[in-house]
């Protein structure tokens, strides 16, 4: 057990572009504590999605280590990564990515069934739906719900298996300002309640008061931004 949910150590990523090399991430180092809500800002194309995909082991880095709760991922095999992705990482994307032919309850049960952890699934689902204000969506299909409601289901799905870390790539981008803020608030609420770490990539400067730490990704480097004092 580590104080940190996830540590990225000297992560670098580049793509070959003809004869030249396009460096996207250059020696990125960051440590994120359990229960810490982090935002990553940066211009379009700066590598934010690439960094999240590497942190979630959906994409491999050229160099560097990913350490989840003190456990180095580098020396594990593909099969172990798949299991870790499923059980220890929750993903939230810009568009909910719910399955169109499943109800809310079924979406959540599907991910619950994929892990070996024995939680009381029905109770768990009920609690999430109540916490996120979508009790009435339990039997609904995605097409019967609003964008904000679908994104709340996606939050419940990401937190369902009690992951160590939540990775959210512009989760508020498809919503208007007020609904986007509610989604960030819900993520914060679950992060604090479950003591889960979360990294949220965002463009929305108006929700930054909801996070604990802000980083900026630019020219391949990740830098911590000093937080403005809350008045
Ligand atoms: N498979 C790939 N091959 C080459 N270049 C890529 C590939 N995937 C992403 N890139 C480049 O990496 C850069 C960062 O992309 P991305 O992580 O999506 O940025 P962001 O999420 O910050 O907008 C972009 O310039 C993009 O063109
Ligand atoms: Mg992106």
């Amino acid at each position: 057990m580590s104080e940190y949910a996830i540590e990225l150590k000297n992560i670098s990523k580049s793509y070959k572009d003809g004869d030249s090399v396009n460096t996207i991430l250059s020696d990125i180092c960051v440590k994120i504590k359990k229960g810490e809500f982090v935002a990553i800002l940066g211009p379009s194309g700066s590598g934010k999605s690439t960094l999240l995909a590497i942190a979630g082991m959906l994409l491999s880095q050229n160099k560097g280590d990913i350490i989840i709760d003190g456990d180095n991922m580098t020396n594990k095999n593909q099969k172990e990564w798949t299991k870790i992705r499923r059980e220890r990482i929750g993903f939230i994307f810009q568009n909910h990515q719910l399955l169109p032919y499943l109800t809310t309850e079924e979406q959540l049960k599907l991910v619950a069934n994929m892990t070996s952890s024995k939680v009381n699934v029905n109770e768990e689902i009920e609690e999430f739906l109540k916490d996120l204000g979508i009790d009435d969506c339990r039997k609904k299909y995605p097409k019967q719900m609003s964008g904000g409601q679908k994104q709340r289901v996606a939050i419940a799905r990401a937190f369902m298996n009690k992951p160590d870390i939540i990775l959210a790539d512009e989760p508020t981008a498809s919503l208007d300002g007020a609904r986007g803020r509610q989604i960030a608030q819900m993520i914060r609420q679950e992060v604090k309640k479950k003591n889960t770490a979360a990294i949220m990539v965002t463009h929305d400067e108006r929700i930054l008061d909801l996070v604990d730490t802000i980083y900026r990704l630019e020219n391949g480097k990740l830098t911590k931004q000093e937080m403005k004092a809350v008045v």
Side-chain angles (χ1 to χ4, degrees), residues 185 189 228:
Q185 264 163 343
Q189 171 191 307
K228 287 187 202 99

Side-chain angles (χ1 to χ4, degrees), residues 45 48-50 169-170 201:
K48 303 180 298 299
S49 295
T50 303
D169 198 350
E170 306 203 33
V201 164

Side-chain angles (χ1 to χ4, degrees), residues 81-221:
W81 285 331
T82 304
K83 187 169 151 64
I84 289 159
R85 244 185 337 252
R86 213 188 274 151
E87 297 183 354
R88 303 180 70 177
I89 303 173
F91 294 95
I92 304 171
F93 301 98
Q94 178 172 340
N95 292 304
H96 57 86
Q97 301 207 352
L98 299 177
L99 297 168
Y101 47 86
L102 293 183
T103 64
T104 294
E105 184 173 33
E106 289 164 347
Q107 317 261 359
L108 300 181
K109 279 191 173 160
L110 182 72
V111 290
N113 290 341
M114 290 201 304
T115 71
S116 48
S117 66
K118 293 248 190 307
V119 288
N120 185 333
V121 174
N122 282 319
E123 262 174 40
E124 192 94 332
I125 290 176
E126 201 157 311
E127 188 186 329
F128 272 123
L129 299 186
K130 224 172 259 161
D131 277 1
L132 299 173
I134 45 170
D135 314 50
D136 55 329
C137 294
R138 190 173 182 132
K139 303 282 181 197
K140 285 185 181 167
Y141 291 92
K143 63 170 189 287
Q144 300 171 300
M145 294 185 265
S146 71
Q149 287 171 328
K150 283 184 277 201
Q151 205 56 317
R152 288 173 196 218
V153 177
I155 294 172
R157 181 182 56 182
F159 279 94
M160 193 68 207
N161 293 321
K162 301 185 166 60
D164 291 302
I165 176 137
I166 294 287
L167 301 173
D169 198 350
E170 306 203 33
T172 68
S174 64
L175 302 169
D176 65 43
R179 286 194 182 85
R181 187 172 175 84
Q182 280 174 351
I183 289 303
Q185 264 163 343
M186 301 273 162
I187 296 173
R188 181 180 178 86
Q189 171 191 307
E190 293 305 311
V191 158
K192 298 302 171 187
K193 185 172 176 184
K194 307 263 155 66
N195 200 32
T196 310
I199 307 177
M200 173 177 69
V201 164
T202 185
H203 275 123
D204 191 351
E205 306 258 346
R206 294 168 303 181
I207 59 177
L208 295 178
D209 59 311
L210 296 169
V211 305
D212 302 310
T213 321
I214 302 169
Y215 289 92
R216 230 167 244 284
L217 183 61
E218 212 158 0
N219 303 320
K221 293 286 185 192

Side-chain angles (χ1 to χ4, degrees), residues 57-60 73-86:
M57 297 185 293
L58 296 168
L59 182 70
S60 58
M73 298 294 122
T74 308
N75 309 317
K76 298 188 187 287
N77 61 38
Q78 194 68 47
K79 204 177 154 192
E80 289 169 306
W81 285 331
T82 304
K83 187 169 151 64
I84 289 159
R85 244 185 337 252
R86 213 188 274 151

